[in-house]
């Protein structure tokens, strides 16, 4: 299940994935993102909170479609904050950040521990 953590007036989007990630969740996340683009923003800063995600409850097709969409739409993605409690995700975000940095100069991808949620929200929306 996916839900908004906080609603922003600007170009920021904060989502939480709870339990599993399905095709319905993926479509809803894309709808939220597209709403920001339709409001006239050329990029959207995104926070994804994953500490309650259970991969075993997620649909592989949804995860693959989401990854495919992300790669195809990197130009519209601003700063990315991944919030979790996982050393594996922390390492993966560090690797992904190197790739992201080359594609989008001026934007960052960062990992935040769950205890740093407020800092992560500030990272994607410094002037809420």
């Amino acid at each position: 299940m996916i839900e908004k953590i906080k609603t922003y007036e600007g170009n920021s989007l904060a989502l939480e994935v709870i339990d599993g990630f399905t095709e319905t969740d993926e479509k809803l996340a894309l709808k939220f993102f597209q709403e920001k683009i339709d409001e006239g923003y050329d990029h959207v800063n995104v926070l994804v909170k994953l500490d309650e995600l259970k991969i075993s409850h997620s649909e592989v097709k949804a995860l693959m479609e989401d990854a495919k969409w992300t790669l195809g739409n990197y130009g519209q993605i601003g700063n990315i904050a991944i919030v979790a409690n996982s050393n594996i995700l922390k390492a993966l975000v560090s690797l992904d950040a190197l790739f992201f940095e080359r594609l989008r100069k001026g934007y960052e991808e960062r990992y935040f521990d769950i205890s740093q949620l407020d800092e992560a929200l500030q990272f994607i929306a410094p002037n809420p």
Side-chain angles (χ1 to χ4, degrees), residues 21-23 26 55-68:
F21 186 74
T22 66
E23 287 183 71
E26 194 251 344
I55 295 293
S56 62
H57 295 175
S58 298
E59 296 173 3
V60 173
K61 183 176 180 184
L63 295 169
M64 296 300 287
E65 286 296 319
D66 189 61
K68 179 180 163 185

Side-chain angles (χ1 to χ4, degrees), residues 50 53 55 63 67 70-71 74 80-101 108-112:
L50 298 170
L53 172 66
I55 295 293
L63 295 169
T70 299
L71 288 172
Y74 248 64
I80 300 173
I82 303 297
V83 180
N85 189 19
S86 167
N87 287 332
I88 293 171
L89 271 177
K90 185 176 183 178
L92 290 173
V93 168
S94 294
L95 290 173
D96 193 48
L98 293 173
F99 177 71
F100 182 72
E101 181 180 48
E108 295 180 63
E109 180 177 4
R110 290 188 198 168
Y111 174 88
F112 295 87

Side-chain angles (χ1 to χ4, degrees), residues 8 10-15 29-47 69 73-81 100 104 107-108 123-125:
Y8 291 98
N11 68 331
S12 298
L13 182 61
L15 304 173
L30 296 182
K31 177 182 173 261
F32 292 151
F33 190 93
Q34 189 59 49
E35 287 171 351
K36 294 292 184 181
I37 296 299
D38 292 346
E39 289 174 16
Y41 300 104
D42 62 344
H43 70 276
V44 179
N45 298 322
V46 180
L47 179 147
W69 182 91
N73 292 279
Y74 248 64
Q76 294 179 310
I77 301 171
N79 288 329
I80 300 173
F100 182 72
R104 294 288 291 160
Y107 297 105
E108 295 180 63
F123 173 67
I124 65 156

